[in-house]
Amino acid sequence: MKNLLFSTLIFLLPITLLAQRPKSEEIESLKIAYFTQKLNLSPDEAKVFWPIYNDMQSEQNALRKERMQKMISFRKVNEIDNLTDAQVQSLITSEFDFKQRDLNLDKKYYSKLKAKLPIKIVGKFYRAQEGFKRELLNKFRGGQKN
């Protein structure tokens, strides 16, 4: 009986540990609930906000995916010392390019939100984004605030 219990625990432990890691769908659900609460949008405002937000998320996710692909190839290189100066420079300027493209997306969607919604709601959105990041970090670091 003890062997059966031990075997069951050994089998379930990795599943339990994996279940504690946040999944992107879970994070997105938490984010939507958080924004819904913090922005307090009217039904008409919500009809405007959520499609813009979804488009923004889609473009940001595509950019992050592209960036991660580049970073994966960089991680395969053991040491920067093994790269040529031109390769190192290329990696650095590529990172600058991704940061600029991310900033351009922020500006693009700021303009879209500002054109369709009151500026105070736009301000609440940007504040809510930062607040959500802090709460998410606290929650998944083990320092959950409840």
Side-chain angles (χ1 to χ4, degrees):
M1 187 67 170
K2 287 182 182 178
N3 286 341
L4 179 61
L5 180 61
F6 181 73
S7 298
T8 303
L9 285 174
I10 294 297
F11 175 73
L12 291 177
L13 185 61
I15 294 170
T16 305
L17 291 175
L18 284 175
Q20 292 177 356
R21 293 184 63 193
K23 295 180 176 78
S24 61
E25 300 86 27
E26 178 186 2
I27 292 171
E28 194 59 30
S29 294
L30 290 170
K31 188 188 293 185
I32 289 169
Y34 187 87
F35 287 169
T36 298
Q37 176 197 13
K38 296 294 182 183
L39 298 181
N40 195 26
L41 299 170
S42 72
D44 288 339
E45 292 166 339
K47 286 179 190 172
V48 170
F49 173 78
W50 289 111
I52 295 171
Y53 171 80
N54 291 335
D55 289 346
M56 181 176 72
Q57 285 297 108
S58 178
E59 284 194 55
Q60 286 176 334
N61 288 339
L63 183 61
R64 283 186 200 111
K65 185 176 180 179
E66 182 183 340
R67 184 178 185 195
M68 286 307 295
Q69 294 294 58
K70 275 247 198 236
M71 292 305 293
I72 287 170
S73 65
F74 176 64
R75 285 188 207 135
K76 291 179 183 176
V77 177
N78 291 334
E79 296 289 332
I80 288 183
D81 292 334
N82 295 335
L83 299 174
T84 66
D85 289 353
Q87 288 171 316
V88 172
Q89 185 172 346
S90 176
L91 290 169
I92 294 168
T93 57
S94 177
E95 182 61 20
F96 291 156
D97 178 55
F98 279 112
K99 286 180 180 180
Q100 185 62 56
R101 290 169 58 197
D102 192 41
L103 178 61
N104 291 345
L105 280 177
D106 283 343
K107 288 179 176 181
K108 171 183 172 181
Y109 283 98
Y110 166 72
S111 293
K112 285 186 177 198
L113 288 167
K114 185 175 79 163
K116 304 272 184 172
L117 293 166
I119 193 65
K120 289 186 180 185
I121 288 177
V122 176
K124 287 179 184 179
F125 168 65
Y126 285 102
R127 177 177 276 172
Q129 278 188 312
E130 292 305 312
F132 180 74
K133 288 176 193 173
R134 279 190 307 279
E135 285 210 13
L136 193 65
L137 283 172
N138 287 334
K139 180 175 182 164
F140 291 109
R141 275 187 185 154
Q144 288 182 290
K145 288 183 184 178
N146 287 337

